[in-house]
Amino acid sequence: MVDTIRTKVLIVGGGPGGYVAAIRAGQLGLDTTLVEADRLGGTCLIRGCIPSKAVIHVAGEFETMQRVSKKSRHGISLTSPPSLDMPELVRWKEGIVNKLSNGVAALCKRAKVRVLSGWARFSDAKTCTVEGKDNATVTAEHVILANGSVSSELPFLPFGGPVISSSEALALDTLPKKLVVVGAGYIGLELGIALRKLGSEVTVVEALDRILPLFDTELSTPVKRWLDRAGVTVHLGATAKGLVTEKSAHALAIQTKDGKTENLPADKILVTVGRQPLTEGWGLENMAVDMNGRFVRVDHQCRTSMRNVWAIGDLVGEPLLAHKGMAQGELVAEIIAGHRRRFDPVAVAAVCFTEPEIVSAGVAPGDPITADVEIMGAMFPFAANGRALSMGAGDEGGFVRVLARKDDHRILGIQAVGAQVSELAGEFALALEMGARLEDIAGTIHVHPTLGEAFHETALRTLGHALHI
Ligand SMILES: Cc1cc2nc3c(=O)[nH]c(=O)nc-3n(C[C@H](O)[C@H](O)[C@H](O)COP(=O)(O)OP(=O)(O)OC[C@H]3O[C@@H](n4cnc5c(N)ncnc54)[C@H](O)[C@@H]3O)c2cc1C
């Protein structure tokens, strides 16, 4: 039976953008309907942030055991090498995903959100039909589009068979002996590094002349060093040309920087050349909203060009990050409930869970603003940080770096590379959002021994009086 539902707020897409919008709208007492075709949680929870970090975690543990089985380390040795059960790893990861997805369902229920399971297709800006487990026609006063994004495909290397996207890479039941990763952005390198740690032979092909192009070379150099040490071959300035299959053996044909053609043998070819907004297959063309290139155009309140149609998350553009979508989801729900809000963050920090990890918040060297404003800055190495050394992580070339305005010492950007620096992202974002000056960080007692002390020392060093270097 097809229900007809009238709702105050209709949200399409149950990823981090959409489900946060739904929970907040429900909390604010708005009659809210959330439509999701898959499990609740979206790319982030089901096949992105969370499962990738679970696999990365296990890969790190496995690599440590592997290393210790070859040579004792810090007084620990293993008499035999560890073995890997990929289906068990994937089951464990799925357990976490299920727990979190069920958690989102419970939070929606508590906020009295009506959740419909099915695919939404719009016939006009405020009306959609839902087809799936639930079947309904929904009309709404407000529509929040949170349809998210999908992996970009290379037309000459379509997904299928040995050519996989990040989603399949997170559900492998056997470890590929040889893996070729096309694209050295954060998703390709996070997964490539994890699979290398688990034992795959990994080769990376990148069209640009450097890895991790969204981060500056000071930050990406320790990662490149790790790749070199781990025996990962990186072809820079090289382009993938297509799949070559001979007698059921696969290879990726590439053109190298110097114009030569090479075939890279591969059991799996992981294509991670970016993500694109999901703008087809759900009637966006019937909604008369303006576009901004491939993305849906929104203003500083996430309003589209159509009255009371809002859009958030990956659908509206960079940065394609879960926490940006969540912030926009919360904001839009509050605006609909009558609050005065605008999406105007000082910084959306980005983390790269590579080996070592990278975090970047705000202005980095080379940013156009650094040409107009007089800048001061410094870095502090983790080699001089007690916590990093006590974690066995002081020798990977990691550091914290701060950039500030010379005139008033206001901090404009903070970056770090090193083991577990992702956990510093919150402090960095807070400092920028609160408009902290170098003196604010220098005057804050940081707990000893923690990685955060390196941030404190960087502020001191920028002011000319570091204590521990
Ligand atoms: C491997 C990987 C690792 C990542 N790691 C990180 C990370 O560490 N940190 C980070 O911040 N970001 C990470 N990301 C990016 C992050 O996952 C996305 O930025 C985030 O999920 C975007 O949220 P969203 O709500 O905009 O859309 P999505 O999470 O893509 O959710 C959109 C949802 O809408 C549903 N949907 C779409 N159209 C319809 C329709 N018509 N009807 C019904 N349902 C529909 C889809 O099924 C989907 O569930 C990663 C991504 C990948 C692929």
Side-chain angles (χ1 to χ4, degrees), residues 51-187:
S52 62
K53 270 76 241 184
V55 171
I56 287 167
H57 171 74
V58 172
E61 288 193 324
F62 185 79
E63 190 223 16
T64 305
M65 291 184 219
Q66 185 79 271
R67 218 166 354 134
V68 171
S69 74
K70 289 182 186 148
K71 188 168 175 249
S72 79
R73 188 174 141 84
H74 312 150
I76 299 176
S77 53
L78 281 177
T79 46
S80 56
S83 63
L84 181 65
D85 180 343
M86 279 299 278
E88 180 52 32
L89 191 172
V90 171
R91 260 195 304 279
W92 175 74
K93 175 217 76 175
E94 272 304 299
I96 296 165
V97 168
N98 283 337
K99 196 178 279 181
L100 288 172
S101 179
N102 292 340
V104 170
L107 292 170
C108 286
K109 193 170 173 197
R110 197 199 300 162
K112 300 195 169 52
V113 174
R114 185 187 297 109
V115 178
L116 300 180
S117 171
W119 185 256
R121 200 170 263 109
F122 285 86
S123 49
D124 65 49
K126 308 283 168 44
T127 314
C128 76
T129 54
V130 178
E131 284 178 30
K133 259 196 226 154
D134 296 312
N135 292 287
T137 301
V138 187
T139 53
E141 225 173 280
H142 292 268
V143 171
I144 304 177
L145 301 174
N147 305 66
S149 64
V150 290
S151 302
S152 300
E153 205 171 18
L154 292 170
F156 50 86
L157 202 59
F159 295 128
V163 182
I164 60 172
S165 73
S166 54
S167 304
E168 290 81 41
L170 291 167
L172 291 167
D173 52 8
T174 52
L175 188 73
K177 195 168 169 338
K178 289 179 194 295
L179 174 80
V180 176
V181 180
V182 181
Y186 86 93
I187 293 179

Side-chain angles (χ1 to χ4, degrees), residues 151-159 162-166 169 179-189 191-192 202-208 211 213 232-236 238-243 251-255 264 266 268-275:
S151 302
S152 300
E153 205 171 18
L154 292 170
F156 50 86
L157 202 59
F159 295 128
V163 182
I164 60 172
S165 73
S166 54
L179 174 80
V180 176
V181 180
V182 181
Y186 86 93
I187 293 179
L189 287 192
L191 296 176
V202 177
T203 306
V204 177
V205 178
E206 167 59 52
L208 298 177
I211 62 165
V232 175
T233 308
V234 182
H235 292 274
L236 295 174
T239 43
K241 291 291 174 196
L243 176 68
L252 177 73
I254 64 162
Q255 186 170 42
L264 306 174
K268 295 285 180 206
I269 297 164
L270 169 60
V271 178
T272 49
V273 292
R275 294 187 59 80

Side-chain angles (χ1 to χ4, degrees), residues 12-19 35-50 52-53 118-122 146-151 166-167 170 186-187 190-191 275 278 281-282 312-315 319-325 351 353:
V12 176
Y19 83 69
V35 185
E36 169 56 59
D38 197 340
R39 281 181 288 169
L40 287 173
T43 305
C44 166
L45 228 141
I46 310 296
R47 52 191 167 273
C49 322
I50 298 296
S52 62
K53 270 76 241 184
W119 185 256
R121 200 170 263 109
F122 285 86
N147 305 66
S149 64
V150 290
S151 302
S166 54
S167 304
L170 291 167
Y186 86 93
I187 293 179
E190 284 186 6
L191 296 176
R275 294 187 59 80
L278 179 58
W282 49 271
I312 58 176
D314 284 7
L315 190 65
L320 306 191
L321 293 172
H323 41 288
K324 182 211 69 172
V351 167
F353 291 80

Side-chain angles (χ1 to χ4, degrees), residues 266-346:
D267 301 303
K268 295 285 180 206
I269 297 164
L270 169 60
V271 178
T272 49
V273 292
R275 294 187 59 80
Q276 61 188 63
L278 179 58
T279 50
E280 284 174 12
W282 49 271
L284 176 62
E285 61 283 2
N286 301 325
M287 302 183 79
V289 301
D290 287 351
M291 301 298 287
N292 177 17
R294 300 176 303 159
F295 298 100
V296 171
R297 182 190 295 280
V298 289
D299 67 6
H300 58 276
Q301 290 187 310
C302 297
R303 291 176 197 271
T304 68
S305 55
M306 172 59 76
R307 197 178 149 75
N308 290 348
V309 175
W310 315 72
I312 58 176
D314 284 7
L315 190 65
V316 302
E318 298 287 349
L320 306 191
L321 293 172
H323 41 288
K324 182 211 69 172
M326 291 191 206
Q328 291 179 325
E330 185 194 30
L331 170 126
V332 170
E334 293 187 355
I335 294 173
I336 294 173
H339 298 199
R340 283 162 60 94
R341 296 282 315 269
R342 55 188 285 144
F343 187 70
D344 190 17
V346 177

